[in-house]
Amino acid sequence: NVTRKETILDHFADAIMDPTESMTPFFFHVPRAAGQTIKDIAGLCLGKVQASDVGIRQGHSSDTQLQTVSIDDARYVNVDTTTKDGIERAAMMGFSQTRMADMVTSSYFLNSAKLLFTTQQPGRAFIWMRHPVERAVSMFHYKKLNGQLDEKVSLEEYGQGNGIENNWMVRFLTNAMEGELKKSHLDQAKKILSKKFLVGFLDDAEESAKRMLKYNGWQYNVDETKALMEQDCVTRKLQDKTNMNPNEYELPAKGSQAHALIAWQTQFDVKLFEFARQLFDLQTKQWGSKERKKEWKKLNKKKAASS
């Protein structure tokens, strides 16, 4: 009986497992895809202690001991899990042994796996997605707003490689930050996603939020009044869409040069996104809301009858 060699992916629980006390929810943050909304739901609505980039504010970046700090009405561990250096600092301070956080947020999936979690105390990964072309256009306007991109750069120039991220999701999931991506990277990203992640979508936010709570073992308060307040808070956050671009903008039309260029820069991410749509459907059985499960059963009955 040969036992399989442990890999750092074992530091994340399989998505089909039920949540347990030893698991820590890990929000794999895709920029411009509801990140702030998710963090607000966890911290402000549900009172969860977070590990993100906030805990080192107000001078806490020089702390030598881990502690929980209150900043802007929410609680944080005094680490920064959104940078590689921050993850290393958290690891050196003993973060993986303490389990002080109720949710860790980072875009560095494999670094987090290696340094913030263990097989005994694994992370529990979930992701929210937005169509990669839409996300890239949102990022274009966001970068212009905060001065990361010159005002004069057109969407076409951006799509040609001036400031655009190339296949962000596949690169960050597989840690292939440099060089050309191959189909093997996409296959690896699909495998990681289907085995280790609950997927959610910006354009199906209410259902995705219900799944996220269930998957992470997060429940509303036992006190009915408090529970109603929490539910109301979640609904408001989903409707407000925190951190949205303040200016309205059009998406480039299909068939336009800008659309073609951006679609080319995000081709692997688009394939991963389409794969995630199927995965979302498959995850309905285990994590879907009551309403969605009913619809899902009806659809499957129809499919069975017509085949």
Side-chain angles (χ1 to χ4, degrees), residues 28-43:
F28 179 64
H29 180 204
V30 180
R32 311 303 308 152
Q36 197 54 52
T37 302
I38 305 299
K39 290 183 277 187
D40 284 352
I41 286 174

Side-chain angles (χ1 to χ4, degrees), residues 20-282:
T20 67
E21 282 295 306
S22 67
M23 298 172 189
T24 301
F26 174 82
F27 173 42
F28 179 64
H29 180 204
V30 180
R32 311 303 308 152
Q36 197 54 52
T37 302
I38 305 299
K39 290 183 277 187
D40 284 352
I41 286 174
L44 299 176
C45 301
L46 303 175
K48 302 296 177 192
V49 177
Q50 298 181 74
S52 60
D53 57 338
V54 180
I56 58 163
R57 289 180 195 166
Q58 300 177 0
H60 289 291
S61 59
S62 50
D63 292 356
T64 53
Q65 299 282 313
L66 288 173
Q67 56 170 313
T68 305
V69 294
S70 290
I71 298 169
D72 297 336
D73 302 325
R75 291 177 302 150
Y76 300 89
V77 182
N78 56 341
V79 293
D80 179 2
T81 52
T82 66
T83 68
K84 288 179 180 178
D85 288 347
I87 290 169
E88 282 187 18
R89 173 179 171 265
M92 280 163 68
M93 289 167 84
F95 182 86
S96 66
Q97 290 89 49
T98 60
R99 299 209 52 258
M100 285 167 80
D102 298 315
M103 180 174 96
V104 174
T105 296
S106 185
S107 301
Y108 291 104
F109 175 68
L110 292 172
N111 299 65
S112 298
K114 188 177 176 183
L115 296 170
L116 301 182
F117 304 110
T118 62
T119 321
Q120 288 73 37
Q121 300 193 320
R124 182 162 183 74
F126 67 101
I127 183 175
W128 278 45
M129 290 185 177
R130 177 180 192 176
H131 193 283
V133 173
E134 215 180 285
R135 194 185 82 75
V137 176
S138 170
M139 188 56 98
F140 168 75
H141 291 283
Y142 180 72
K143 281 183 168 178
K144 280 203 160 179
L145 261 181
N146 64 21
Q148 284 176 279
L149 203 58
D150 194 295
E151 262 309 299
K152 297 188 199 73
V153 176
S154 69
L155 194 54
E156 283 80 9
E157 287 166 336
Y158 172 74
Q160 279 164 344
N162 190 341
I164 195 170
E165 299 155 336
N166 175 276
N167 294 299
W168 189 96
M169 288 194 294
V170 172
R171 286 190 183 279
F172 273 77
L173 272 174
T174 60
N175 208 18
M177 300 305 188
E178 309 269 305
E180 199 182 331
L181 283 182
K182 298 183 174 70
K183 187 180 173 289
S184 57
H185 291 109
L186 174 64
D187 293 340
Q188 191 191 348
K190 284 180 177 178
K191 205 171 167 181
I192 290 170
L193 211 60
S194 61
K195 194 170 165 67
K196 299 292 179 180
F197 276 88
L198 174 85
V199 295
F201 289 96
L202 196 61
D203 61 8
D204 200 351
E206 205 176 312
E207 173 67 18
S208 297
K210 285 176 183 171
R211 294 183 183 201
M212 172 179 80
L213 264 68
K214 196 172 172 184
Y215 176 79
N216 289 331
W218 292 345
Q219 280 153 353
Y220 290 117
N221 203 297
V222 284
D223 179 307
E224 212 173 311
T225 315
K226 283 181 181 166
L228 282 171
M229 282 166 72
E230 289 175 351
Q231 284 167 340
D232 185 46
C233 177
V234 171
T235 306
R236 271 201 327 272
K237 292 293 174 196
L238 292 172
Q239 283 163 353
D240 292 350
K241 299 189 173 112
T242 326
N243 212 6
M244 260 182 86
N245 288 327
N247 310 325
E248 289 289 313
Y249 59 83
E250 297 271 305
L251 282 172
K254 277 187 178 172
S256 68
Q257 195 196 3
H259 190 282
L261 287 164
I262 292 169
W264 186 79
Q265 291 279 5
T266 57
Q267 56 188 309
F268 284 120
D269 272 10
V270 170
K271 287 196 168 81
L272 188 67
F273 180 85
E274 286 160 358
F275 173 78
R277 285 281 203 216
Q278 297 168 348
L279 187 57
F280 187 77
D281 259 2
L282 288 174

